Amino acid sequence: MTTPEPGATGPSPDGLRPVDVLTVVSVEDVTPTVRRVLLAGTPAGVAAAGPTVSLLVPRVGDPAPRWPRVAKDGRIVWPEGAHGVSLRSYTARRQDPARGEVEIDFVLHGDGPAAAWAAAAAPGDPIGSAGGGPLGDRPAHRLLLAGDETALPAISRILAAAPDDTGGVALIEVAGPEEEQPLPAPAGVTVHWLHRKGTAPGESTLLADAVAALDPFPEDDVFAWVAAESGAVRTIRADLRGRWGLGRAQHHAIGYWRRGRSMSPAD
Ligand SMILES: Cc1cc2nc3c(=O)[nH]c(=O)nc-3n(C[C@H](O)[C@H](O)[C@H](O)COP(=O)(O)OP(=O)(O)OC[C@H]3O[C@@H](n4cnc5c(N)ncnc54)[C@H](O)[C@@H]3O)c2cc1C
């Protein structure tokens, strides 16, 4: 199988299309552990790279990664042999197809191909996008949002899109006050920052405890959106389905990472 040229467009005769190759424009540390990477791409490539994005992350310092290609049904078709590219899910914090810009906040958690790539990212570096997906949210009169640093880009998009009369609570677990970020929200949504105070990410019960301490919202039009370490999300999901009585259409609770395990054991 041949590897498509970076930047090549359109499907090949076998129906596979090249991935969108994005290029680092600039890098900014927004907090001690969150690095914001501004990427440039074609308008179509940027429009497709979110809100959640399947990133194809090259090894640090690899100037010519062997990108996979994408089938019509979205399946990723890998080149044979070693390719040095890892598939990871991220969130486009901001997308501007007209300007050809997409912004991604990477948590520099110290381990893993994506965190290592972001830690070393410099202008001109390539990264691939195999396309995007939805955040899984829906508008509701009362929102319950709960997440850690990895969920903050999604929570900021959900709050920015929420109608002014939305009420509810956003619970965000971070290492400490230095990790808080400005988070514009409708006046009726209360934002609580929960500080781990030295407890390692993935070992704290702060988020699940904070949800457990809330009284379920009395209204019918409630939606809960939760993303964090898988174990914490499992506990919260059980609370939402049990005590809160939320049906499947009323919540979206997804593990964004797994303590002690790579998100793609194959690489
Ligand atoms: C839909 C979706 C959207 C996401 N959006 C974002 C986003 O916008 N920003 C973002 O930073 N992450 C986001 N994530 C989470 C991100 O995909 C994972 O953190 C992923 O594991 C990072 O890949 P990696 O190669 O750095 O580490 P991996 O190779 O997957 O893991 C290596 C090691 O690092 C540990 N690890 C992974 N993530 C963390 C963490 N956050 N804190 C502490 N230890 C960790 C693992 O437990 C493992 O031991 C998202 C996940 C999903 C499913």
Side-chain angles (χ1 to χ4, degrees):
M1 184 183 300
T2 54
T3 306
E5 291 301 317
T9 54
S12 55
D14 57 9
L16 302 177
R17 68 169 171 83
V19 301
D20 293 304
V21 178
L22 307 167
T23 307
V24 176
V25 175
S26 62
V27 172
E28 177 197 0
D29 288 329
V30 286
T31 71
T33 64
V34 175
R35 174 159 292 190
R36 182 162 298 159
V37 181
L38 175 63
L39 299 160
T42 62
V46 165
T52 61
V53 50
S54 297
L55 279 185
L56 295 157
V57 184
R59 295 284 171 274
V60 171
D62 183 352
R66 297 186 64 219
W67 304 113
R69 291 185 292 166
V70 186
K72 282 202 186 80
D73 61 4
R75 199 169 30 93
I76 293 174
V77 180
W78 294 93
E80 284 178 19
H83 48 74
V85 173
S86 301
L87 175 65
R88 293 288 183 275
S89 295
Y90 276 80
T91 308
R93 184 184 168 276
R94 184 177 71 81
Q95 278 166 279
D96 188 340
R99 293 173 65 98
E101 289 180 353
V102 56
E103 219 168 46
I104 298 184
D105 282 0
F106 291 82
V107 176
L108 302 179
H109 58 83
D111 201 4
W117 181 89
D125 287 354
I127 192 166
S129 159
L135 290 175
D137 62 320
R138 77 156 176 80
H141 188 232
R142 291 288 296 278
L143 289 177
L144 170 63
L145 307 175
D148 63 11
E149 296 89 337
T150 63
L152 202 39
I155 290 176
S156 76
R157 280 185 79 139
I158 293 169
L159 286 173
D164 287 346
D165 61 354
T166 305
V169 176
L171 304 166
I172 300 150
E173 179 192 305
V174 293
E178 70 284 1
E179 291 296 332
E180 293 183 11
Q181 294 184 34
L183 194 58
V189 176
T190 311
V191 178
H192 294 288
W193 295 91
L194 312 170
H195 298 152
R196 283 193 296 272
K197 295 184 182 153
T199 303
E203 290 181 12
S204 130
T205 59
L206 273 179
L207 210 51
D209 293 346
V211 174
L214 290 175
D215 288 328
F217 302 154
E219 295 95 329
D220 287 335
D221 188 16
V222 171
F223 190 81
W225 188 97
V226 180
E229 197 282 325
S230 296
V233 171
R234 240 188 335 266
T235 307
I236 295 170
R237 190 189 295 122
D239 194 9
L240 297 177
R241 289 182 182 173
R243 193 175 59 96
W244 282 67
L246 298 186
R248 285 188 185 274
Q250 286 182 295
H251 70 286
H252 176 87
I254 297 289
Y256 264 19
W257 61 283
R258 291 177 296 191
R259 182 159 72 97
R261 289 174 65 186
S262 160
M263 284 310 270
S264 177
D267 62 32

